[in-house]
Amino acid sequence: MQNNHHTVARRLKKLRKDKGWSLTACAEHTGVSKAMLGQIERQESSPTLATLWKLATGFNVSLSWLLNDEQQPMTFDFAHERIQVERLLAFDPQTQQEVYKLCMAEGAQSHSDAHRRGTFEMLYVQSGRLDIVVGETQVTIKAGEAYRFDAAQPHSYINRYSGKTEFLAVINYV
Amino acid sequence: MQNNHHTVARRLKKLRKDKGWSLTACAEHTGVSKAMLGQIERQESSPTLATLWKLATGFNVSLSWLLNDEQQPMTFDFAHERIQVERLLAFDPQTQQEVYKLCMAEGAQSHSDAHRRGTFEMLYVQSGRLDIVVGETQVTIKAGEAYRFDAAQPHSYINRYSGKTEFLAVINYV
DNA sequence: TAACAGCGTGCGTTATAACGCACAAACACT
DNA sequence: AGTGTTTGTGCGTTATAACGCACGCTGTTA
């Protein structure tokens, strides 16, 4: 828990690369000048809270996440998937939404390929803890927390919790 | 999810006051100059990530916590209404969605006026039982069940269950 | 090869974050 | 009263974050 504007720099660069943005494109999306972005990524300057906010909103992530320094071991185990899926609400053409309740056993994991462009998911963990890998980034959400992400890219759910994890998945198509 | 270095300022001042520190004492603990601390608290300057780190370590809190954008659950107590509202995900202009976790005490009820046309809500009851009155129709959903309705009309949540009811509310605007 | 576009970095300038110091107000003990 | 102490804020200076622009580099197309 120290000098981790290093991690901010890395995370920022990774986010940018994941989206396939150049520094110029990134500058347009975030409102931070291209030169500044380069300096921040190279750790030549310590960004202001104001610019951190610009970055977070521009990348559509929470500020806390941008600064969060948990290193994320990407270890997949291809054990037997033990997953229960219950459809709570069927797909409705008007709202373009469907809702699932999932229950994953300890160590279970599930992978989804990219949905069509514009689709996003909202997850809410009811009990346990869930790791979500979407693109190059990984997030952990605990019971009572929620997470939303762009589902137009491959994503995985992994239960590394010591017990079962129950969560809600709300999928919005476009 | 915008300009909330305001919250940082408040949180910082509260932290300092809670510990009973003066600006000078705070400066000694954090390594940030007294004048700067005052300016940050009065929102006259936007602190650098480096100084944010000094502050976090000085106060012995995590950086994420220092600028946590999640607002703490606010509790209403109008007459007999005892309702806790926790915003899990702030409104996101891209997905046009926000997510709340609500906890209603026995007998509590809450009313919402019509949202703008096209808005719909999805409710998921985690524990207890919830009655929803939307327009002329009334529905009861129990724990583990979900319900979706058009929110472009007045609607009410009522907890007639003999105990508290926890549920998730996912609001999609148009 | 030449011309061109897009990429990231370096440079000079401006805006401002951060500092040290001094000051006035509020409170304490003579 | 007077004296010392501690509170927070204002001022002048320095350090640096942020900007706009231009340059060299690389990949593509004519």
Side-chain angles (χ1 to χ4, degrees):
Chain A
M1 209 219 276
Q2 52 256 19
N3 275 21
N4 81 344
H5 31 279
H6 299 8
T7 58
V8 174
R10 280 182 204 159
R11 196 167 277 233
L12 186 59
K13 187 164 192 173
K14 203 170 187 183
L15 256 177
R16 185 172 67 84
K17 290 293 184 186
D18 285 353
K19 298 219 175 193
W21 288 354
S22 67
L23 283 183
T24 33
C26 189
E28 288 169 5
H29 279 90
T30 59
V32 180
S33 75
K34 179 173 67 161
M36 221 335 95
L37 288 169
Q39 290 188 24
I40 293 172
E41 285 189 357
R42 281 177 267 131
Q43 304 169 23
E44 290 177 11
S45 71
S46 169
T48 299
L49 183 54
T51 59
L52 284 171
W53 263 107
K54 287 186 191 172
L55 294 174
T57 53
F59 278 112
N60 202 28
V61 299
S62 81
L63 182 53
S64 332
W65 185 89
L66 188 65
L67 309 163
N68 215 353
D69 182 25
E70 308 153 2
Q71 69 243 28
Q72 298 138 355
M74 290 260 286
T75 48
F76 295 99
D77 77 301
F78 294 94
H80 260 357
E81 302 178 2
R82 289 159 298 150
I83 305 170
Q84 282 189 345
V85 180
E86 178 189 0
R87 191 172 64 179
L88 293 181
L89 291 176
F91 175 76
D92 172 31
Q94 194 168 350
T95 60
Q96 299 275 100
Q97 183 190 71
E98 57 186 350
V99 181
Y100 291 95
K101 163 102 175 281
L102 290 99
C103 183
M104 297 177 69
E106 180 177 348
Q109 79 165 51
S110 170
H111 180 77
S112 285
D113 285 328
H115 296 160
R116 62 166 297 191
R117 191 161 183 77
T119 305
F120 67 95
E121 289 192 27
M122 198 287 296
L123 302 179
Y124 169 74
V125 175
Q126 186 169 353
S127 69
R129 194 186 64 212
L130 186 69
D131 289 5
I132 305 129
V133 182
V134 44
E136 299 281 334
T137 62
Q138 173 169 335
V139 181
T140 302
I141 54 177
K142 303 187 294 293
E145 295 177 346
Y147 182 62
R148 182 169 43 213
F149 64 94
D150 179 17
Q153 48 191 318
H155 49 278
S156 300
Y157 316 129
I158 310 160
N159 179 17
R160 295 205 182 87
Y161 183 66
S162 57
K164 69 173 183 180
T165 293
E166 292 177 301
F167 65 103
L168 206 71
V170 180
I171 308 175
N172 284 78
Y173 299 91
V174 73
Chain B
M1 210 221 265
Q2 50 256 20
N3 278 19
N4 70 351
H5 31 278
H6 299 9
T7 58
V8 174
R10 281 183 202 159
R11 198 168 276 235
L12 186 59
K13 187 162 191 174
K14 193 176 181 184
L15 255 176
R16 184 172 66 85
K17 290 293 184 185
D18 285 353
K19 298 216 174 195
W21 288 354
S22 65
L23 283 183
T24 33
C26 188
E28 287 170 4
H29 279 89
T30 59
V32 180
S33 77
K34 179 173 65 162
M36 221 335 95
L37 288 170
Q39 291 188 23
I40 294 173
E41 286 189 357
R42 282 176 266 133
Q43 303 170 24
E44 290 177 11
S45 71
S46 170
T48 298
L49 183 54
T51 58
L52 283 171
W53 260 108
K54 289 185 191 172
L55 295 174
T57 53
F59 278 112
N60 204 28
V61 298
S62 80
L63 181 53
S64 332
W65 186 89
L66 186 64
L67 22 89
N68 218 349
D69 45 334
E70 311 153 7
Q71 57 196 30
Q72 51 269 39
M74 43 186 176
T75 322
F76 300 103
D77 202 340
F78 302 135
H80 294 124
E81 297 181 4
R82 284 163 303 146
I83 305 170
Q84 279 195 347
V85 181
E86 181 186 359
R87 191 175 63 179
L88 294 182
L89 291 176
F91 174 75
D92 172 34
Q94 196 168 347
T95 60
Q96 299 276 99
Q97 183 191 69
E98 57 186 349
V99 181
Y100 291 95
K101 163 102 175 282
L102 290 100
C103 182
M104 297 177 70
E106 179 178 347
Q109 70 175 45
S110 171
H111 180 78
S112 284
D113 285 327
H115 296 158
R116 62 167 296 189
R117 190 160 182 77
T119 305
F120 67 96
E121 289 193 26
M122 198 287 295
L123 303 178
Y124 169 74
V125 175
Q126 188 169 351
S127 68
R129 194 186 65 212
L130 187 69
D131 288 5
I132 306 130
V133 181
V134 45
E136 300 284 334
T137 61
Q138 174 168 337
V139 182
T140 301
I141 54 176
K142 302 187 296 293
E145 294 178 347
Y147 182 63
R148 181 168 45 212
F149 63 93
D150 179 17
Q153 49 192 318
H155 48 281
S156 300
Y157 315 129
I158 310 162
N159 179 17
R160 296 203 179 90
Y161 181 65
S162 59
K164 69 174 182 182
T165 294
E166 293 177 302
F167 66 102
L168 206 72
V170 181
I171 308 175
N172 285 77
Y173 299 91
V174 71

